[in-house]
Amino acid sequence: MSRLDETHDPARRSWVEGANDASTDFPIQNLPYGAFSRDGSGDGGAVRIGVAIGSQVLDLTTLEEQGVLRPGGDEAVFADGTLNAFMALGAATWRQTRHRIADLLDAANAPTGDERAQVSRALVPMKAVRMHMPVFVRGYTDFYASREHATNVGTMFRDPDNALMPNWLHIPIGYNGRASTVVVSGTDIRRPLGQLKGPQDDAPRLGASAKLDMELELGAIVGTGNPMGQPLGTAQAYDNIFGYVLLNDWSARDIQVWEYQPLGPFQSKAFGTSISPWIVTRDALEPYRAPTPERVKPLLPYLEEETPNNFDIRLEVDLAPQGQAATTISRTNYKYMYYSAAQQLAHHTLSGCAMEPGDLLGSGTISGVAKDSFGSLLELTWNGRDPLPVEGGTRTFLEDGDTVTLRGWCEGDVRIGFGACSGTILPAPDGVPA
Ligand code: CA
């Protein structure tokens, strides 16, 4: 059954400023959710829930207070500055709310009278808001789903002839990351300290990471949980995902290489993970569904998918040294991922692991086949062997003051954009207190 409806109609236009520009990430067909505040607005900087439309943010917290929009009935779900309570209402409510918001913003069918005035007053210019974490991240799991990325890393660190581990073609590989250091785009990232040990060193030393890297990923946000002991199939897992964000899994390669065996990454990934502020809903992405690549080996039946559950999302990475213009260092597409987020979520629950609204799943670094489509500096510079030209110099890994910005969008009759996910590197702490 097609999931497409009038909210996806490319002919639909909005009466809101900037919403019909061909270049906007946020036409009426998108309607991504975020959390924002307004400095100097007289409300004490309260964090509110909003939807991006053109150059504006529609304040859903206010519309809920006024009764224009009541997705939770008597329960206010946009009042606490996160989307967790709204997400917990489930997919049918997400869909109804999307329809209601689209109707309020529709040029052909715009509300009139008091309602039109209320909606107009609830629009805030995007340039006047500060964005916050859109969800309380309950848990963060990072996967490793790009065959190209896993092959590149295996070639560099292990054995070019057996670059993929034997389990990789059968199982979505992942590890439990840190939810506490998932931060919204625009948050600075401090270079981490760690134990460092080169191959020729007799013993490790304490120092600042000299191989600080980024990882281009997509984050899936679980909206509907599953009880402990009850695994999900891939179709249900697909439906339980509320939406997607851009995700930068900052990584310290020199800390990683010393610590990662036998239990996987730990401090090398725990110091910061950035996400874009606007959650593009699964509903908005429906027209851009794409199949996963052809299976090299058959999957166990619980991982098979009857529908295309990947998405055709174009992705770019910009790197700007301090005071310099940005250079686009990678261009790729999410559709190359070998495992979909639905497969990852299904596998995550297989043992009976409970998932909750606000759980975040990182896709794993998104790398294509061509060298300019790799999703990390580790691959783009081949572990520092091939410096990358950027404005004003070259890079092997990130330097202090560098800003990395991820962008993503679906291209078709309309542009469904994710906005940007950026972060700037601050110098490492002077040391560890005695
Ligand atoms: Ca990662």
Side-chain angles (χ1 to χ4, degrees):
M1 189 187 75
S2 171
R3 300 281 189 89
L4 300 188
D5 57 39
E6 62 268 26
T7 66
H8 303 103
D9 180 357
R12 214 163 180 191
R13 294 285 178 273
S14 173
W15 53 269
V16 175
E17 187 184 320
N20 308 315
D21 296 353
S23 62
T24 187
D25 274 349
F26 310 121
I28 193 169
Q29 294 82 2
N30 191 350
L31 306 177
Y33 290 84
F36 71 98
S37 65
R38 298 171 68 183
D39 291 341
S41 63
D43 63 1
V47 180
R48 300 171 163 276
I49 296 301
V51 151
I53 175 76
S55 60
Q56 309 286 308
V57 179
L58 182 66
D59 179 346
L60 301 186
T61 303
T62 293
L63 291 182
E64 184 181 57
E65 284 164 8
Q66 296 173 343
V68 178
L69 203 65
R70 293 295 304 184
D74 291 343
E75 184 202 357
V77 292
F78 295 135
D80 78 349
T82 73
L83 282 156
N84 295 60
F86 173 65
M87 294 193 300
L89 297 176
T93 303
W94 309 340
R95 197 151 183 241
Q96 285 161 10
T97 307
R98 172 176 166 82
H99 279 257
R100 173 72 173 140
I101 294 169
D103 286 346
L104 291 172
L105 300 173
D106 191 323
N109 185 28
T112 53
D114 287 352
E115 191 168 83
R116 172 64 179 255
Q118 284 175 313
V119 174
S120 293
R121 280 199 301 270
L123 288 167
V124 184
M126 203 171 274
K127 56 180 186 288
V129 306
R130 178 200 303 256
M131 299 306 293
H132 299 266
M133 280 293 291
V135 295
F136 170 71
V137 179
R138 180 69 197 220
Y140 166 46
T141 308
D142 194 30
F143 285 89
Y144 194 52
S146 157
R147 187 175 163 210
E148 289 74 16
H149 173 69
T151 303
N152 286 337
V153 173
T155 301
M156 268 182 270
F157 288 130
R158 284 191 308 273
D159 174 5
D161 296 327
N162 297 288
L164 273 187
M165 297 291 274
N167 56 6
W168 198 92
L169 291 167
H170 299 277
I171 189 168
I173 301 293
Y175 67 95
N176 287 298
R178 283 302 304 177
S180 57
T181 28
V182 178
V183 294
V184 74
S185 173
T187 307
D188 292 336
I189 300 294
R190 193 165 286 285
R191 181 180 298 275
L193 299 173
Q195 282 205 19
L196 308 172
K197 183 188 167 304
Q200 315 305 329
D201 299 340
D202 291 332
R205 64 186 173 84
L206 171 69
S209 171
K211 287 191 169 184
L212 185 50
D213 201 353
M214 43 72 55
E215 287 189 344
L216 168 64
E217 301 195 21
L218 206 66
I221 294 174
V222 174
T224 309
N226 61 285
M228 183 175 171
Q230 294 183 25
L232 299 172
T234 54
Q236 188 62 53
Y238 178 88
D239 283 345
N240 282 16
I241 295 170
F242 175 70
Y244 293 83
V245 290
L246 302 170
L247 184 150
N248 186 343
D249 178 30
W250 305 97
S251 299
R253 302 300 178 193
D254 40 5
I255 298 172
Q256 185 177 356
V257 77
W258 169 233
E259 75 172 3
Y260 85 105
Q261 289 176 321
L263 285 183
F266 184 39
Q267 293 299 291
S268 57
K269 306 273 190 172
F271 59 93
T273 303
S274 301
I275 64 168
S276 52
W278 295 109
I279 304 174
V280 176
T281 62
R282 167 176 62 64
D283 276 332
L285 292 171
E286 283 292 335
Y288 305 93
R289 289 174 82 152
T292 49
E294 196 177 338
R295 303 293 91 176
V296 178
K297 295 198 171 166
L299 294 173
L300 288 172
Y302 84 95
L303 283 173
E304 284 174 3
E305 294 180 304
E306 310 238 314
T307 54
N309 291 351
N310 257 4
F311 299 102
D312 183 350
I313 303 170
R314 298 179 187 220
L315 298 161
E316 286 183 0
V317 181
D318 284 0
L319 198 166
Q322 191 162 26
Q324 302 280 353
T327 300
T328 300
I329 59 171
S330 180
R331 291 181 174 86
T332 186
N333 194 306
Y334 177 69
K335 70 183 177 186
Y336 301 131
M337 299 303 271
Y338 195 80
Y339 294 106
S340 69
Q343 287 174 317
Q344 293 171 333
L345 178 55
H347 181 68
H348 208 316
T349 66
L350 178 65
S351 66
C353 176
M355 303 297 284
E356 301 266 1
D359 273 315
L360 173 67
L361 310 183
S363 61
T365 305
I366 302 166
S367 290
V369 175
K371 180 154 187 179
D372 60 1
S373 69
F374 294 166
S376 66
L377 287 170
L378 176 72
E379 296 164 270
L380 288 163
T381 71
W382 213 253
N383 198 15
R385 185 193 70 188
D386 309 326
L388 204 61
V390 295
E391 206 67 38
T394 61
R395 284 294 178 275
T396 50
F397 291 95
L398 296 172
E399 296 186 8
D400 293 347
D402 284 356
T403 297
V404 176
T405 302
L406 316 180
R407 294 177 202 288
W409 69 97
C410 304
E411 214 162 83
D413 294 327
V414 293
R415 176 186 169 102
I416 301 295
F418 284 75
C421 174
S422 74
T424 299
I425 303 301
L426 298 181
D430 287 339
V432 182

PDB file of all heavy atoms in Angstrom, residues 3 90-92 94 221-224 232-244 282-283 286 289 309 342 345:
ATOM      1  N   ARG A   3       2.191   4.759   0.816  1.00  0.00           N
ATOM      2  CA  ARG A   3       2.094   5.638   1.979  1.00  0.00           C
ATOM      3  C   ARG A   3       1.950   7.099   1.548  1.00  0.00           C
ATOM      4  O   ARG A   3       1.967   7.980   2.380  1.00  0.00           O
ATOM      5  CB  ARG A   3       3.351   5.501   2.832  1.00  0.00           C
ATOM      6  CG  ARG A   3       3.616   4.104   3.370  1.00  0.00           C
ATOM      7  CD  ARG A   3       2.730   3.838   4.577  1.00  0.00           C
ATOM      8  NE  ARG A   3       3.085   2.600   5.253  1.00  0.00           N
ATOM      9  CZ  ARG A   3       3.974   2.503   6.228  1.00  0.00           C
ATOM     10  NH1 ARG A   3       4.624   3.552   6.624  1.00  0.00           N
ATOM     11  NH2 ARG A   3       4.213   1.348   6.817  1.00  0.00           N
ATOM     12  N   GLY A  90       2.603   7.719  19.124  1.00  0.00           N
ATOM     13  CA  GLY A  90       2.554   6.706  18.070  1.00  0.00           C
ATOM     14  C   GLY A  90       2.314   7.246  16.676  1.00  0.00           C
ATOM     15  O   GLY A  90       1.944   8.408  16.472  1.00  0.00           O
ATOM     16  N   ALA A  91       2.519   6.346  15.713  1.00  0.00           N
ATOM     17  CA  ALA A  91       2.592   6.738  14.301  1.00  0.00           C
ATOM     18  C   ALA A  91       1.285   7.321  13.762  1.00  0.00           C
ATOM     19  O   ALA A  91       1.309   8.210  12.911  1.00  0.00           O
ATOM     20  CB  ALA A  91       3.024   5.539  13.458  1.00  0.00           C
ATOM     21  N   ALA A  92       0.145   6.829  14.228  1.00  0.00           N
ATOM     22  CA  ALA A  92      -1.119   7.366  13.710  1.00  0.00           C
ATOM     23  C   ALA A  92      -1.254   8.841  14.095  1.00  0.00           C
ATOM     24  O   ALA A  92      -1.691   9.681  13.282  1.00  0.00           O
ATOM     25  CB  ALA A  92      -2.293   6.558  14.257  1.00  0.00           C
ATOM     26  N   TRP A  94       1.295  10.891  14.758  1.00  0.00           N
ATOM     27  CA  TRP A  94       2.295  11.666  14.001  1.00  0.00           C
ATOM     28  C   TRP A  94       1.702  12.062  12.645  1.00  0.00           C
ATOM     29  O   TRP A  94       1.867  13.181  12.185  1.00  0.00           O
ATOM     30  CB  TRP A  94       3.575  10.856  13.753  1.00  0.00           C
ATOM     31  CG  TRP A  94       4.176  10.213  14.954  1.00  0.00           C
ATOM     32  CD1 TRP A  94       3.954  10.552  16.271  1.00  0.00           C
ATOM     33  CD2 TRP A  94       5.078   9.102  14.968  1.00  0.00           C
ATOM     34  NE1 TRP A  94       4.677   9.713  17.081  1.00  0.00           N
ATOM     35  CE2 TRP A  94       5.375   8.821  16.314  1.00  0.00           C
ATOM     36  CE3 TRP A  94       5.674   8.333  13.970  1.00  0.00           C
ATOM     37  CZ2 TRP A  94       6.232   7.792  16.695  1.00  0.00           C
ATOM     38  CZ3 TRP A  94       6.523   7.308  14.333  1.00  0.00           C
ATOM     39  CH2 TRP A  94       6.798   7.031  15.687  1.00  0.00           C
ATOM     40  N   ILE A 221      15.741   8.261  14.873  1.00  0.00           N
ATOM     41  CA  ILE A 221      15.198   8.493  16.208  1.00  0.00           C
ATOM     42  C   ILE A 221      13.976   7.610  16.417  1.00  0.00           C
ATOM     43  O   ILE A 221      12.991   7.704  15.682  1.00  0.00           O
ATOM     44  CB  ILE A 221      14.865   9.983  16.395  1.00  0.00           C
ATOM     45  CG1 ILE A 221      16.190  10.762  16.371  1.00  0.00           C
ATOM     46  CG2 ILE A 221      14.101  10.218  17.695  1.00  0.00           C
ATOM     47  CD1 ILE A 221      16.067  12.231  16.410  1.00  0.00           C
ATOM     48  N   VAL A 222      14.094   6.719  17.393  1.00  0.00           N
ATOM     49  CA  VAL A 222      13.001   5.807  17.716  1.00  0.00           C
ATOM     50  C   VAL A 222      11.875   6.618  18.363  1.00  0.00           C
ATOM     51  O   VAL A 222      12.109   7.378  19.307  1.00  0.00           O
ATOM     52  CB  VAL A 222      13.481   4.697  18.673  1.00  0.00           C
ATOM     53  CG1 VAL A 222      12.321   3.820  19.128  1.00  0.00           C
ATOM     54  CG2 VAL A 222      14.570   3.857  18.004  1.00  0.00           C
ATOM     55  N   GLY A 223      10.669   6.474  17.806  1.00  0.00           N
ATOM     56  CA  GLY A 223       9.522   7.196  18.354  1.00  0.00           C
ATOM     57  C   GLY A 223       8.621   6.316  19.191  1.00  0.00           C
ATOM     58  O   GLY A 223       8.039   6.761  20.171  1.00  0.00           O
ATOM     59  N   THR A 224       8.492   5.062  18.779  1.00  0.00           N
ATOM     60  CA  THR A 224       7.658   4.097  19.489  1.00  0.00           C
ATOM     61  C   THR A 224       8.550   3.013  20.056  1.00  0.00           C
ATOM     62  O   THR A 224       9.359   2.433  19.334  1.00  0.00           O
ATOM     63  CB  THR A 224       6.644   3.433  18.534  1.00  0.00           C
ATOM     64  OG1 THR A 224       5.950   4.454  17.825  1.00  0.00           O
ATOM     65  CG2 THR A 224       5.647   2.580  19.302  1.00  0.00           C
ATOM     66  N   LEU A 232      11.177  -6.888  17.458  1.00  0.00           N
ATOM     67  CA  LEU A 232      10.424  -6.301  16.352  1.00  0.00           C
ATOM     68  C   LEU A 232      10.872  -6.917  15.030  1.00  0.00           C
ATOM     69  O   LEU A 232      12.058  -7.182  14.840  1.00  0.00           O
ATOM     70  CB  LEU A 232      10.703  -4.791  16.261  1.00  0.00           C
ATOM     71  CG  LEU A 232      10.347  -3.917  17.450  1.00  0.00           C
ATOM     72  CD1 LEU A 232      10.898  -2.507  17.219  1.00  0.00           C
ATOM     73  CD2 LEU A 232       8.828  -3.876  17.636  1.00  0.00           C
ATOM     74  N   GLY A 233       9.934  -7.099  14.100  1.00  0.00           N
ATOM     75  CA  GLY A 233      10.289  -7.416  12.725  1.00  0.00           C
ATOM     76  C   GLY A 233      10.691  -6.143  12.004  1.00  0.00           C
ATOM     77  O   GLY A 233      10.516  -5.031  12.511  1.00  0.00           O
ATOM     78  N   THR A 234      11.223  -6.279  10.793  1.00  0.00           N
ATOM     79  CA  THR A 234      11.714  -5.088  10.081  1.00  0.00           C
ATOM     80  C   THR A 234      10.593  -4.130   9.709  1.00  0.00           C
ATOM     81  O   THR A 234      10.786  -2.912   9.726  1.00  0.00           O
ATOM     82  CB  THR A 234      12.502  -5.478   8.815  1.00  0.00           C
ATOM     83  OG1 THR A 234      11.690  -6.338   8.004  1.00  0.00           O
ATOM     84  CG2 THR A 234      13.807  -6.178   9.163  1.00  0.00           C
ATOM     85  N   ALA A 235       9.400  -4.654   9.366  1.00  0.00           N
ATOM     86  CA  ALA A 235       8.303  -3.754   8.962  1.00  0.00           C
ATOM     87  C   ALA A 235       7.855  -2.910  10.154  1.00  0.00           C
ATOM     88  O   ALA A 235       7.663  -1.691  10.032  1.00  0.00           O
ATOM     89  CB  ALA A 235       7.136  -4.565   8.405  1.00  0.00           C
ATOM     90  N   GLN A 236       7.708  -3.541  11.322  1.00  0.00           N
ATOM     91  CA  GLN A 236       7.317  -2.791  12.517  1.00  0.00           C
ATOM     92  C   GLN A 236       8.436  -1.831  12.929  1.00  0.00           C
ATOM     93  O   GLN A 236       8.175  -0.697  13.346  1.00  0.00           O
ATOM     94  CB  GLN A 236       6.990  -3.745  13.663  1.00  0.00           C
ATOM     95  CG  GLN A 236       6.383  -3.057  14.875  1.00  0.00           C
ATOM     96  CD  GLN A 236       5.041  -2.397  14.551  1.00  0.00           C
ATOM     97  OE1 GLN A 236       4.146  -3.047  14.027  1.00  0.00           O
ATOM     98  NE2 GLN A 236       4.920  -1.107  14.837  1.00  0.00           N
ATOM     99  N   ALA A 237       9.674  -2.277  12.808  1.00  0.00           N
ATOM    100  CA  ALA A 237      10.802  -1.418  13.170  1.00  0.00           C
ATOM    101  C   ALA A 237      10.807  -0.160  12.298  1.00  0.00           C
ATOM    102  O   ALA A 237      11.018   0.955  12.798  1.00  0.00           O
ATOM    103  CB  ALA A 237      12.117  -2.181  13.009  1.00  0.00           C
ATOM    104  N   TYR A 238      10.535  -0.338  11.007  1.00  0.00           N
ATOM    105  CA  TYR A 238      10.467   0.819  10.104  1.00  0.00           C
ATOM    106  C   TYR A 238       9.441   1.825  10.620  1.00  0.00           C
ATOM    107  O   TYR A 238       9.699   3.027  10.693  1.00  0.00           O
ATOM    108  CB  TYR A 238      10.106   0.347   8.690  1.00  0.00           C
ATOM    109  CG  TYR A 238       9.960   1.466   7.692  1.00  0.00           C
ATOM    110  CD1 TYR A 238      11.056   1.938   6.975  1.00  0.00           C
ATOM    111  CD2 TYR A 238       8.727   2.078   7.484  1.00  0.00           C
ATOM    112  CE1 TYR A 238      10.919   2.984   6.073  1.00  0.00           C
ATOM    113  CE2 TYR A 238       8.591   3.126   6.586  1.00  0.00           C
ATOM    114  CZ  TYR A 238       9.682   3.576   5.880  1.00  0.00           C
ATOM    115  OH  TYR A 238       9.552   4.623   5.002  1.00  0.00           O
ATOM    116  N   ASP A 239       8.265   1.317  10.985  1.00  0.00           N
ATOM    117  CA  ASP A 239       7.184   2.204  11.435  1.00  0.00           C
ATOM    118  C   ASP A 239       7.469   2.839  12.785  1.00  0.00           C
ATOM    119  O   ASP A 239       6.922   3.902  13.092  1.00  0.00           O
ATOM    120  CB  ASP A 239       5.872   1.417  11.521  1.00  0.00           C
ATOM    121  CG  ASP A 239       5.263   1.184  10.149  1.00  0.00           C
ATOM    122  OD1 ASP A 239       5.683   1.852   9.179  1.00  0.00           O
ATOM    123  OD2 ASP A 239       4.353   0.335  10.038  1.00  0.00           O
ATOM    124  N   ASN A 240       8.285   2.194  13.623  1.00  0.00           N
ATOM    125  CA  ASN A 240       8.561   2.732  14.960  1.00  0.00           C
ATOM    126  C   ASN A 240       9.542   3.907  14.937  1.00  0.00           C
ATOM    127  O   ASN A 240       9.698   4.600  15.943  1.00  0.00           O
ATOM    128  CB  ASN A 240       9.122   1.642  15.873  1.00  0.00           C
ATOM    129  CG  ASN A 240       8.028   0.712  16.399  1.00  0.00           C
ATOM    130  OD1 ASN A 240       6.917   0.697  15.869  1.00  0.00           O
ATOM    131  ND2 ASN A 240       8.339  -0.063  17.411  1.00  0.00           N
ATOM    132  N   ILE A 241      10.212   4.112  13.804  1.00  0.00           N
ATOM    133  CA  ILE A 241      11.162   5.232  13.706  1.00  0.00           C
ATOM    134  C   ILE A 241      10.391   6.513  13.389  1.00  0.00           C
ATOM    135  O   ILE A 241       9.655   6.576  12.411  1.00  0.00           O
ATOM    136  CB  ILE A 241      12.236   4.939  12.642  1.00  0.00           C
ATOM    137  CG1 ILE A 241      13.090   3.747  13.101  1.00  0.00           C
ATOM    138  CG2 ILE A 241      13.109   6.174  12.392  1.00  0.00           C
ATOM    139  CD1 ILE A 241      14.028   3.213  12.041  1.00  0.00           C
ATOM    140  N   PHE A 242      10.552   7.506  14.247  1.00  0.00           N
ATOM    141  CA  PHE A 242       9.845   8.775  14.076  1.00  0.00           C
ATOM    142  C   PHE A 242      10.458   9.598  12.956  1.00  0.00           C
ATOM    143  O   PHE A 242       9.744  10.199  12.145  1.00  0.00           O
ATOM    144  CB  PHE A 242       9.906   9.567  15.387  1.00  0.00           C
ATOM    145  CG  PHE A 242       9.317  10.948  15.297  1.00  0.00           C
ATOM    146  CD1 PHE A 242       7.955  11.122  15.160  1.00  0.00           C
ATOM    147  CD2 PHE A 242      10.138  12.077  15.361  1.00  0.00           C
ATOM    148  CE1 PHE A 242       7.399  12.401  15.075  1.00  0.00           C
ATOM    149  CE2 PHE A 242       9.598  13.355  15.283  1.00  0.00           C
ATOM    150  CZ  PHE A 242       8.218  13.511  15.137  1.00  0.00           C
ATOM    151  N   GLY A 243      11.784   9.664  12.907  1.00  0.00           N
ATOM    152  CA  GLY A 243      12.418  10.492  11.891  1.00  0.00           C
ATOM    153  C   GLY A 243      13.931  10.390  11.939  1.00  0.00           C
ATOM    154  O   GLY A 243      14.488   9.582  12.692  1.00  0.00           O
ATOM    155  N   TYR A 244      14.559  11.238  11.137  1.00  0.00           N
ATOM    156  CA  TYR A 244      15.995  11.127  10.902  1.00  0.00           C
ATOM    157  C   TYR A 244      16.668  12.497  11.017  1.00  0.00           C
ATOM    158  O   TYR A 244      16.082  13.525  10.683  1.00  0.00           O
ATOM    159  CB  TYR A 244      16.248  10.552   9.502  1.00  0.00           C
ATOM    160  CG  TYR A 244      15.785   9.110   9.364  1.00  0.00           C
ATOM    161  CD1 TYR A 244      14.451   8.799   9.096  1.00  0.00           C
ATOM    162  CD2 TYR A 244      16.679   8.065   9.543  1.00  0.00           C
ATOM    163  CE1 TYR A 244      14.029   7.480   8.992  1.00  0.00           C
ATOM    164  CE2 TYR A 244      16.257   6.743   9.442  1.00  0.00           C
ATOM    165  CZ  TYR A 244      14.942   6.456   9.165  1.00  0.00           C
ATOM    166  OH  TYR A 244      14.529   5.153   9.074  1.00  0.00           O
ATOM    167  N   ARG A 282       9.887  10.364   9.146  1.00  0.00           N
ATOM    168  CA  ARG A 282       9.792   9.227   8.224  1.00  0.00           C
ATOM    169  C   ARG A 282       8.662   9.475   7.230  1.00  0.00           C
ATOM    170  O   ARG A 282       8.795   9.166   6.043  1.00  0.00           O
ATOM    171  CB  ARG A 282       9.532   7.960   9.049  1.00  0.00           C
ATOM    172  CG  ARG A 282       9.105   6.785   8.246  1.00  0.00           C
ATOM    173  CD  ARG A 282       8.956   5.551   9.083  1.00  0.00           C
ATOM    174  NE  ARG A 282       7.949   5.601  10.134  1.00  0.00           N
ATOM    175  CZ  ARG A 282       6.631   5.734   9.940  1.00  0.00           C
ATOM    176  NH1 ARG A 282       6.145   5.871   8.726  1.00  0.00           N
ATOM    177  NH2 ARG A 282       5.801   5.741  10.965  1.00  0.00           N
ATOM    178  N   ASP A 283       7.566  10.076   7.691  1.00  0.00           N
ATOM    179  CA  ASP A 283       6.458  10.386   6.773  1.00  0.00           C
ATOM    180  C   ASP A 283       6.926  11.278   5.627  1.00  0.00           C
ATOM    181  O   ASP A 283       6.554  11.057   4.477  1.00  0.00           O
ATOM    182  CB  ASP A 283       5.329  11.107   7.534  1.00  0.00           C
ATOM    183  CG  ASP A 283       4.391  10.131   8.237  1.00  0.00           C
ATOM    184  OD1 ASP A 283       4.257   8.991   7.756  1.00  0.00           O
ATOM    185  OD2 ASP A 283       3.791  10.519   9.259  1.00  0.00           O
ATOM    186  N   GLU A 286       8.871   9.393   2.817  1.00  0.00           N
ATOM    187  CA  GLU A 286       8.222   8.294   2.081  1.00  0.00           C
ATOM    188  C   GLU A 286       8.451   8.325   0.570  1.00  0.00           C
ATOM    189  O   GLU A 286       8.700   7.286  -0.029  1.00  0.00           O
ATOM    190  CB  GLU A 286       6.715   8.271   2.392  1.00  0.00           C
ATOM    191  CG  GLU A 286       6.364   7.687   3.746  1.00  0.00           C
ATOM    192  CD  GLU A 286       6.638   6.191   3.848  1.00  0.00           C
ATOM    193  OE1 GLU A 286       6.646   5.508   2.803  1.00  0.00           O
ATOM    194  OE2 GLU A 286       6.872   5.725   4.973  1.00  0.00           O
ATOM    195  N   ARG A 289      11.980   6.599  -0.661  1.00  0.00           N
ATOM    196  CA  ARG A 289      12.419   5.259  -0.241  1.00  0.00           C
ATOM    197  C   ARG A 289      13.247   4.618  -1.344  1.00  0.00           C
ATOM    198  O   ARG A 289      12.981   4.799  -2.536  1.00  0.00           O
ATOM    199  CB  ARG A 289      11.209   4.388   0.088  1.00  0.00           C
ATOM    200  CG  ARG A 289      10.532   4.818   1.368  1.00  0.00           C
ATOM    201  CD  ARG A 289       9.258   4.047   1.619  1.00  0.00           C
ATOM    202  NE  ARG A 289       9.516   2.744   2.222  1.00  0.00           N
ATOM    203  CZ  ARG A 289       8.638   2.134   3.016  1.00  0.00           C
ATOM    204  NH1 ARG A 289       7.487   2.703   3.308  1.00  0.00           N
ATOM    205  NH2 ARG A 289       8.913   0.954   3.533  1.00  0.00           N
ATOM    206  N   ASN A 309      13.473   0.032   2.365  1.00  0.00           N
ATOM    207  CA  ASN A 309      13.486   0.792   3.620  1.00  0.00           C
ATOM    208  C   ASN A 309      14.679   1.734   3.772  1.00  0.00           C
ATOM    209  O   ASN A 309      14.843   2.364   4.810  1.00  0.00           O
ATOM    210  CB  ASN A 309      13.448  -0.168   4.813  1.00  0.00           C
ATOM    211  CG  ASN A 309      12.116  -0.882   4.932  1.00  0.00           C
ATOM    212  OD1 ASN A 309      11.161  -0.547   4.226  1.00  0.00           O
ATOM    213  ND2 ASN A 309      12.047  -1.870   5.797  1.00  0.00           N
ATOM    214  N   ALA A 342      15.792   0.305   9.693  1.00  0.00           N
ATOM    215  CA  ALA A 342      14.780  -0.666  10.150  1.00  0.00           C
ATOM    216  C   ALA A 342      15.440  -2.003  10.478  1.00  0.00           C
ATOM    217  O   ALA A 342      15.104  -2.647  11.476  1.00  0.00           O
ATOM    218  CB  ALA A 342      13.708  -0.837   9.080  1.00  0.00           C
ATOM    219  N   LEU A 345      17.315  -1.566  13.766  1.00  0.00           N
ATOM    220  CA  LEU A 345      16.418  -1.539  14.925  1.00  0.00           C
ATOM    221  C   LEU A 345      15.859  -2.937  15.196  1.00  0.00           C
ATOM    222  O   LEU A 345      15.769  -3.367  16.357  1.00  0.00           O
ATOM    223  CB  LEU A 345      15.294  -0.524  14.698  1.00  0.00           C
ATOM    224  CG  LEU A 345      14.243  -0.415  15.805  1.00  0.00           C
ATOM    225  CD1 LEU A 345      14.881  -0.135  17.165  1.00  0.00           C
ATOM    226  CD2 LEU A 345      13.223   0.672  15.461  1.00  0.00           C
TER     227      LEU A 345
END
